[in-house]
C-alpha cells in the first residue's frame, strides 16, 4: 500500500471508520429515521451489522471489486448503508439525483457502466427499468420500499431486506471473501463517484478517493470542532457532494448521528424535533424560512408584532457582536437575554435551530439581510465556498470572522491562487482524482501540479485575507463599451428581494443590460392577498401591473446600489420583463442544484431577448413546458416590457467616447 | 371467463377469488319513484368493481344497498355466501365493509390522525371507561391501533399532515384522509363513492395509484362509483353500467365499451 497518513494508520477507508466507530461508540446512535410517526434508531453496532449483512448480500449477488453500484432515492439510512456496503466489497457507490428524468439517468448509468442499482421506491425502480431499454449494463436491482412492486418480475429485482437475509445465510461461505476485500481497500482507491450537474454540457463523473474524503473530513471537522454526539439532518440530495461529506465523511470520521426525515414534506417538522447541532442549507432555504416566518408574523396580534420587531431590531445591533465575542455592554447583554427568552429562543426552536453550533450556507450568494437575521437570532451561520472537485471545502469562515460578502479563508490544507484573469485556483488534499472516462476535461481542469480551476472569478480582500467571489469566470464578460459585465452579481442583488425568485441578466457584448425576472409565488401571492389583488394563476399574477410596478421599484433600487460601484456601474438594468413561467429544472432551464443555465435560456427565449433590446413595449410568446410526468405542453402569453430609470447613465458613456 | 365460480388470475398477476357479495334482483323504491329496478350482479374477492352511469342512474342508491343503509323492497343480498337480514350500519361495519362518501364526511375539527383512528372503532374491545382512563388493556390496544393507523398514513403518504386539523386541508387531501379512515377498519370490501369527483388530473392520477396499491397490497376488494369513464376503464376489472335504475351493461371494461346500450346512454340517442 502507498503512504499512509501517520495520525490514522488504520483509518484509510469508510468501512475502516465504521469498524472503529462500532468499537469506540458502539451503543451511541449512528442513524435515526422517522417512520410510522416514531424516530427509529440504530446504534453504531447495529448499523455496522446491517451494513455487513448487506455487503454479504452484495457478494452473494456477485458484486465484483471495482463494480459501480448506483444508489437512487431520498435520504434514508438503508441507502447510506448500501453505499458503505458497496465500499466494503470493493465496489464504488454512485449516488444519483432522485428527481433526474429517465434520460438523464440513462446517460449516467451508461457512462459509469453500473451493474447494480439500489432504488428507494417504485418510482426509481420504474425509471431504471425504463432506462434498461437502451442501457443494458444493469444486472440486479435492489429496492427498499416494496409498495407497488409486488407484481413486478422478481428474477433480477430484489427487496433489500431479502438480500440482507441471504447475505446473513451465506455468512459462513462469504465471510472470508468479505474480510479480504475490506482489507484490500487502499487510501488512494476510489471512495465514491459523484456526477456534477454542470451548468453546461453532459454531467461529469468526479472520482474522489478515500484520501480525498477522509483528509477533507478530518481537516474540516477540526476547523469547526465537530465531535461525536453532534446531530445532522440528512435532507439534501444524496448525489450532492456536500451530503456525502456531511452524512458519511464527517459523520464517520467523528462518529456523529445522521437523522433522516420521515418524508420530504415533513422536513421542517423533523428538523424542529431533531434540532441538529450542525446544519447546512443553501441560501434559498434560509430565505424561504424567513419569508414564511415574516408572513406568519403579519397575522399575529399587534402586540406580538410590536414585540417581535422591537426585539429583532435590537438583536440586529447586538446579536452578531455577541456571537463574534466582541465587547458588548452589560446592559445590552441583559436586554439580549430578555429578548432571547421572549423572542429569539422560541423563533430558533420553531425553525429547528435551537442547538445549532455550526451552520453553513453555500452554493449561491446570500442576502446580507437574511444572513444578519439568523446571526442576530444567535445562530452561528457561516459561509463556505466549495466544489465537488474539491470534496467540498475550498474556503470557509472561521467562527469569529463572519461576513455576508466574503466566503472565508482557505480551509486547512488548501492553497489558493488568483490567476491574471481573476479566476480562482486551488490545490488541496481533497482535490479529485479525475473525471471518469474523460481525460480531456480532467486535463483542462486540473494541471499536472494539482492546481484546479474553479471557474469562478474572485479576489482576496487585503484587509481580512478572505476570498470574495464576483461571478462565474466565463460569465464575466465585457459590454459593447468595454465595461465589466458580471451578471451573477446583479442577479444576486435582485434575488435578495423576497419577491424575486430568479433573475437572468443579459448584456455581454451589448450596449446595455436587460433582465428576465421570476417572481416568488409565496411572497407575491401573500402580498396580493393582502392588497385584494385577485389572480388565477402564476402567469396572471406575474403580468399584473402592480406586480410590475413593485418589481420595477426593486430593479431601480438595485441600479442605485450598482451605480455606487465604479467597476460595475455599467451593469445597471435598463429594461426588464417578468417571465410567464417559473424557470424549472425539468425544462432544463436550471440545473438540478437550481443554478441558472444562462446560455440555454437565452436561446430558448430568443424572441424575448430580442424584444428587450428592440425597444418594443410588449411581446407575444409561446413556450413549451414539460410536466412532471414527462408530457409536454405549451403556454402562451403576452408579456409587458418595462423601461427602468438608470443612475448616472449618460455621463460615463459620453466620457468613454 | 368471468361467469365461473372458481378463482382466476388477471393478466397483471392478481388473483380474483370467488363471489364475495351477490345482489339478486334488487328493487328499491322511494314512494312512487323506483330508484333501482331488478338489478343483479356480484362482486368477487380481490377485484376492483365499478358501478358507472349518468347522473341519477341510481349508483349511490346501489352503494347504499350494498352498505346496508337502504333496505330494498325486493331482492336479496348475499355477503360471503350468507343472506343478509335486516342490519344496522355498525353490524355492516363489523362484517368488514367500509366506505367513503361523495361529500366528504370527516370530523373537520379533529386532526387527520384522530380521524383515521376513528376508523379503528370496530377493532377496539375495551370499554369507554378504560379508554378514557387509558388503563390496563386499553393502553396496549391503543398502541396496536395506532401502529396500524401509522402504517396506513405511511401508505397513503400523508405523514406531513398527521397533526393538521382536517378543516384546514384542501379537497384532494381530505379525500385521501377519508380513504385512510376507511382503510383503518381493515375492510374486506371497500366502497368508494365517487373517489375522484372534483379533482384535477394530477389528483385523479394519484388517487388511482392509491386505489390500485390498496387492492394490490392489502388484497382489499373494492367497489367504486365513478363519473369519469376514463378513470374507471383503467382501474377496474369489471364494470356495471346503470341507467334510469336499470342495469344496461356488465362485464370487463372492453366489453362495456363496445356495448351499444352503454354508448347510447352516455352519448345520447337521436329521438325521432
Amino acid at each position: 500500500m502507498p503512504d499512509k497518513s501517520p495520525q490514522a494508520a488504520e483509518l484509510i477507508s469508510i468501512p475502516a471508520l465504521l469498524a472503529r466507530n462500532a468499537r469506540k461508540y458502539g451503543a451511541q446512535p449512528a442513524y435515526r429515521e422517522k417512520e410510522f410517526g416514531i424516530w427509529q434508531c440504530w446504534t453504531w453496532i447495529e448499523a455496522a451489522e446491517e451494513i455487513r449483512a448487506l455487503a454479504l448480500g452484495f457478494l452473494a449477488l456477485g458484486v465484483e471489486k471495482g463494480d459501480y453500484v448506483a444508489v437512487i432515492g431520498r435520504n434514508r439510512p438503508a441507502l447510506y448503508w448500501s453505499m458503505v456496503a458497496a465500499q466494503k466489497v470493493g465496489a464504488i457507490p454512485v449516488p444519483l439525483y432522485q428527481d433526474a428524468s429517465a434520460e438523464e439517468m440513462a446517460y449516467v448509468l451508461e457512462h459509469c457502466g453500473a451493474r447494480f442499482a439500489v432504488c428507494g421506491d417504485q418510482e426509481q425502480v420504474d425509471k431504471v427499468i425504463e432506462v434498461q431499454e437502451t442501457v443494458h449494463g444493469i444486472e440486479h436491482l435492489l429496492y427498499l420500499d416494496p409498495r407497488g412492486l409486488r407484481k413486478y418480475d422478481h428474477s433480477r429485482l430484489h427487496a433489500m431486506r431479502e438480500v440482507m437475509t441471504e447475505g446473513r445465510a451465506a455468512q459462513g461461505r462469504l465471510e472470508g471473501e468479505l474480510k479480504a476485500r475490506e482489507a484490500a481497500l487502499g487510501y488512494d482507491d476510489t471512495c465514491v463517484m459523484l456526477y456534477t450537474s454542470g451548468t453546461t454540457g453532459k454531467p461529469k463523473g468526479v472520482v474522489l478517493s478515500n484520501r480525498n474524503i477522509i483528509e477533507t473530513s478530518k481537516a474540516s471537522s477540526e476547523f469547526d470542532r465537530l465531535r461525536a454526539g453532534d446531530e445532522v439532518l440528512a435532507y439534501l440530495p444524496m448525489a450532492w457532494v456536500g451530503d456525502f461529506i456531511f452524512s458519511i465523511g464527517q459523520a464517520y470520521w467523528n462518529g456523529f448521528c445522521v437523522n433522516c426525515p420521515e418524508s420530504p414534506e415533513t422536513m421542517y417538522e423533523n428538523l424542529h424535533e431533531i434540532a441538529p447541532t450542525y446544519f447546512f442549507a443553501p441560501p434559498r432555504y434560509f430565505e424561504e424560512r424567513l419569508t414564511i416566518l415574516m408572513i406568519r408574523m403579519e397575522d399575529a396580534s399587534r402586540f406580538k408584532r410590536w414585540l417581535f420587531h422591537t426585539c429583532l431590531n435590537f438583536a440586529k445591533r447586538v446579536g452578531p457582536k455577541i456571537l463574534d465575542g466582541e465587547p458588548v455592554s452589560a446592559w445590552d447583554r441583559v436586554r439580549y437575554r430578555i429578548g432571547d427568552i421572549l423572542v429569539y429562543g422560541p423563533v430558533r426552536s420553531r425553525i429547528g435551530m435551537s442547538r445549532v453550533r455550526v451552520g453553513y450556507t453555500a452554493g449561491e450568494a446570500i442576502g446580507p439581510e437574511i444572513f444578519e437575521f439568523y446571526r442576530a437570532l444567535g445562530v452561528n451561520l457561516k459561509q463556505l465556498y466549495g466544489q465537488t472537485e474539491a470534496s467540498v471545502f475550498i474556503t470557509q469562515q472561521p467562527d469569529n470572522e463572519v461576513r455576508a460578502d466574503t466566503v472565508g479563508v482557505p480551509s486547512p490544507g488548501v492553497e489558493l491562487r488568483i490567476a491574471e484573469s481573476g479566476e480562482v485556483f486551488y490545490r488541496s488534499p481533497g482535490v479529485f482524482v479525475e473525471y471518469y472516462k474523460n481525460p480531456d476535461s480532467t486535463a483542462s481542469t486540473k494541471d499536472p501540479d494539482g492546481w484546479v480551476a474553479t471557474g469562478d472569478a474572485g479576489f482576496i480582500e487585503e484587509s481580512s485575507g478572505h476570498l470574495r467571489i464576483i461571478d462565474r469566470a466565463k460569465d464575466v464578460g465585457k459590454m459593447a463599451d468595454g465595461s465589466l459585465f458580471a451578471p451573477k452579481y446583479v442577479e444576486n442583488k435582485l434575488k435578495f428581494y423576497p419577491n424575486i425568485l430568479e433573475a437572468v441578466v443579459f448584456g455581454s457584448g451589448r450596449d446595455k443590460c436587460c433582465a428576465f425576472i421570476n417572481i416568488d409565488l409565496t411572497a407575491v401571492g401573500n402580498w396580493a392577498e393582502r392588497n385584494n389583488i385577485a389572480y388565477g394563476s402564476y402567469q396572471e399574477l406575474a403580468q399584473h401591473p402592480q406586480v410590475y410596478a413593485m418589481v420595477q421599484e426593486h430593479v431601480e433600487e438595485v441600479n442605485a446600489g450598482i451605480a455606487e460601484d465604479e467597476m460595475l456601474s455599467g451593469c445597471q438594468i435598463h429594461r426588464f420583463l417578468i417571465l410567464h413561467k417559473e424557470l424549472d429544472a425539468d425544462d432544463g432551464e436550471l440545473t438540478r442544484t437550481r443554478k441558472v443555465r444562462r446560455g440555454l435560456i437565452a436561446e430558448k427565449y430568443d424572441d424575448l431577448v430580442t424584444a428587450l433590446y428592440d425597444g418594443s413595449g410588449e411581446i407575444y410568446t409561446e413556450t413549451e413546458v414539460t410536466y412532471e410526468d414527462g408530457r409536454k405542453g405549451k403556454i402562451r402569453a403576452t408579456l409587458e416590457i418595462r423601461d427602468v430609470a438608470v443612475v448616472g447613465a449618460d455621463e460615463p458613456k459620453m466620457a468613454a467616447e | 371467463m368471468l361467469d365461473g365460480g372458481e378463482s382466476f388470475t388477471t393478466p397483471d398477476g392478481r388473483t380474483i377469488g370467488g363471489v364475495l357479495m351477490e345482489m339478486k334482483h334488487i328493487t328499491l323504491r322511494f314512494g312512487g319513484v323506483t330508484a333501482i329496478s331488478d338489478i343483479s350482479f356480484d362482486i368477487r374477492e380481490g377485484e376492483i368493481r365499478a358501478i358507472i352511469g349518468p347522473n341519477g342512474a341510481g349508483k349511490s342508491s346501489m352503494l347504499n344497498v350494498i352498505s346496508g343503509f337502504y333496505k330494498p323492497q325486493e331482492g336479496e343480498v348475499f355477503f360471503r355466501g350468507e343472506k343478509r337480514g335486516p342490519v344496522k350500519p355498525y353490524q355492516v361495519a363489523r362484517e368488514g365493509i367500509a366506505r367513503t362518501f361523495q361529500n366528504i364526511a370527516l370530523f373537520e375539527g379533529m386532526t387527520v390522525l384522530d380521524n383515521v383512528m376513528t376508523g379503528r372503532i370496530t377493532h377496539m374491545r375495551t370499554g369507554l371507561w378504560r379508554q378514557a382512563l387509558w388503563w390496563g388493556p386499553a393502553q396496549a390496544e391503543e398502541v396496536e391501533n395506532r401502529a396500524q393507523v401509522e402504517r396506513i398514513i405511511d401508505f397513503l403518504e400523508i405523514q406531513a399532515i398527521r397533526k393538521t386539523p382536517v378543516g384546514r386541508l384542501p379537497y384532494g387531501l381530505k379525500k385521501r384522509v377519508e380513504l385512510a379512515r376507511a382503510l383503518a377498519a381493515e375492510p374486506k370490501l371497500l366502497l368508494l363513492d365517487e373517489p375522484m369527483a372534483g379533482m384535477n388530473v394530477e389528483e385523479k392520477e394519484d388517487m388511482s395509484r392509491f386505489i390500485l396499491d390498496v387492492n394490490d397490497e392489502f388484497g382489499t376488494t373494492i367497489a367504486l362509483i365513478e363519473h369519469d369513464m376514463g378513470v374507471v376503464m383503467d382501474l377496474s376489472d369489471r364494470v356495471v353500467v346503470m341507467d334510469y335504475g336499470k342495469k344496461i351493461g356488465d362485464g370487463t371494461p372492453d366489453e362495456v365499451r363496445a356495448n351499444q346500450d352503454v354508448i347510447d346512454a352516455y352519448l345520447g340517442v337521436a329521438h325521432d
Side-chain angles (χ1 to χ4, degrees), chain B residues 52 196 204 226-233 266:
Chain B
I52 62 169
M196 273 154 283
K204 275 183 186 170
E226 191 47 68
H227 244 93
D228 189 325
M229 284 280 274
V231 170
V232 170
M233 296 301 178
Y266 263 87

Side-chain angles (χ1 to χ4, degrees), chain A residues 34-38 74 122 145-151 262-263 265-266 269 628-629 631, chain B residues 12-14 146 150-151 154-157 159-160 162-163 201-202 205 209-210 213 216-218:
Chain A
K34 196 169 186 184
E35 207 176 15
F36 305 127
I38 296 172
R74 69 180 171 88
Q122 186 189 13
D145 183 356
R147 197 177 82 193
L149 289 168
R150 193 194 297 276
K151 293 177 292 194
E262 185 168 24
S263 74
E265 294 81 37
T266 59
E269 196 189 317
E628 246 174 49
D629 58 3
R631 280 179 305 176
Chain B
D12 59 1
R14 287 177 310 128
R146 173 71 189 267
E150 284 295 340
R151 271 194 283 279
D154 182 67
F155 189 83
L156 294 178
E157 293 169 6
Q159 302 99 328
R162 191 185 278 128
K163 303 260 170 74
V201 178
E202 202 176 325
E205 280 177 2
R209 190 76 251 159
F210 285 124
D213 282 349
D216 183 39
E217 194 74 23
F218 305 116

Side-chain angles (χ1 to χ4, degrees), chain B residues 3-70:
Chain B
D3 299 325
E6 72 286 354
S7 63
F8 66 96
T9 308
T10 59
D12 59 1
R14 287 177 310 128
T15 307
I16 305 288
V19 173
L20 180 71
M21 181 162 232
E22 193 170 11
M23 321 295 287
K24 281 188 175 163
H25 307 289
I26 302 288
T27 299
L28 178 72
R29 290 189 206 93
F30 295 109
V33 181
T34 307
I36 302 173
S37 68
D38 192 28
I39 287 187
S40 305
F41 67 95
D42 62 5
I43 301 169
R44 284 157 167 271
E45 211 157 340
E47 79 173 337
I48 301 181
R49 186 75 147 125
I51 303 171
I52 62 169
N55 273 334
K59 305 182 300 282
S60 287
S61 301
M62 195 70 225
L63 205 71
N64 280 322
V65 170
I66 299 174
S67 73
F69 187 69
Y70 288 160

Side-chain angles (χ1 to χ4, degrees), chain B residues 209-250:
Chain B
R209 190 76 251 159
F210 285 124
I211 291 173
L212 286 172
D213 282 349
V214 165
N215 176 255
D216 183 39
E217 194 74 23
F218 305 116
T220 313
T221 309
I222 296 172
L224 63 94
I225 290 181
E226 191 47 68
H227 244 93
D228 189 325
M229 284 280 274
V231 170
V232 170
M233 296 301 178
D234 285 348
L235 271 182
S236 38
D237 299 304
R238 288 191 301 157
V239 183
V240 176
V241 192
M242 292 177 68
D243 193 20
Y244 294 112
K246 296 193 180 64
K247 182 168 101 171
I248 57 169
D250 188 357

Side-chain angles (χ1 to χ4, degrees), chain A residues 367-562:
Chain A
E369 299 82 16
I370 296 160
F371 196 67
E372 287 304 316
F373 170 81
Y374 286 95
R375 294 193 52 83
L377 285 182
V379 176
N380 184 19
L381 183 61
K382 313 196 282 181
Q383 298 199 71
L384 67 81
Y385 171 64
Q387 280 193 328
T388 309
E389 287 82 349
S391 313
V392 179
F393 297 95
I394 298 174
T395 66
Q396 56 198 127
Q397 294 178 328
D399 272 345
N400 300 327
E401 302 174 27
V402 179
R403 287 179 31 200
D405 57 352
T406 77
V407 291
V409 298
S411 301
V414 178
E415 300 166 77
L416 272 192
R417 199 185 75 197
I418 311 290
E420 285 285 303
S421 62
E423 191 172 352
V424 180
F425 286 77
Y426 64 93
R427 184 163 71 174
S428 77
V431 164
F432 72 120
V433 180
E434 58 171 356
Y435 291 123
Y436 186 61
K437 288 200 226 162
N438 196 345
D440 294 343
S441 282
T442 309
S444 66
T445 310
K446 184 169 109 167
D447 74 11
D449 294 333
W451 287 98
V452 180
T454 57
D456 288 324
F459 62 94
I460 292 175
E461 210 176 63
E462 286 195 7
S463 55
S464 62
H466 280 225
L467 179 67
R468 272 183 72 171
I469 299 293
I470 312 174
D471 206 335
R472 296 287 301 165
K474 68 171 167 38
D475 288 338
V476 175
K478 292 269 191 286
M479 303 196 39
D481 61 359
S483 58
L484 190 66
F485 171 66
K488 188 82 161 288
Y489 176 80
V490 183
E491 285 159 15
N492 284 335
K493 279 195 177 287
L494 285 167
K495 279 160 66 178
F496 292 156
Y497 291 94
N499 293 327
I500 298 178
L501 185 72
E502 289 292 348
V504 188
V505 175
F506 303 97
S508 186
R510 297 181 187 261
D511 57 344
K512 60 187 180 201
C513 285
C514 293
F516 287 174
I517 307 280
N518 253 182
I519 54 167
D520 184 320
L521 191 58
T522 318
V524 181
N526 188 266
W527 167 85
E529 215 170 280
R530 281 175 201 293
N531 289 284
N532 290 322
I533 293 170
Y535 64 97
S537 65
Y538 181 86
Q539 190 180 336
E540 197 180 327
L541 183 62
Q543 292 309 310
H544 198 280
Q546 274 175 273
V547 173
Y548 254 88
M550 183 169 68
V551 171
Q552 180 167 6
E553 228 170 83
H554 294 336
V555 174
E556 279 165 3
E557 279 169 36
V558 165
N559 278 349
I562 297 172

Side-chain angles (χ1 to χ4, degrees), chain A residues 349-380:
Chain A
S349 163
R350 192 65 253 154
I351 57 178
M353 297 201 192
S354 48
R355 295 201 296 160
V356 170
R357 269 194 310 119
V358 183
Y360 272 116
T361 184
E364 293 271 339
I366 186 167
E369 299 82 16
I370 296 160
F371 196 67
E372 287 304 316
F373 170 81
Y374 286 95
R375 294 193 52 83
L377 285 182
V379 176
N380 184 19

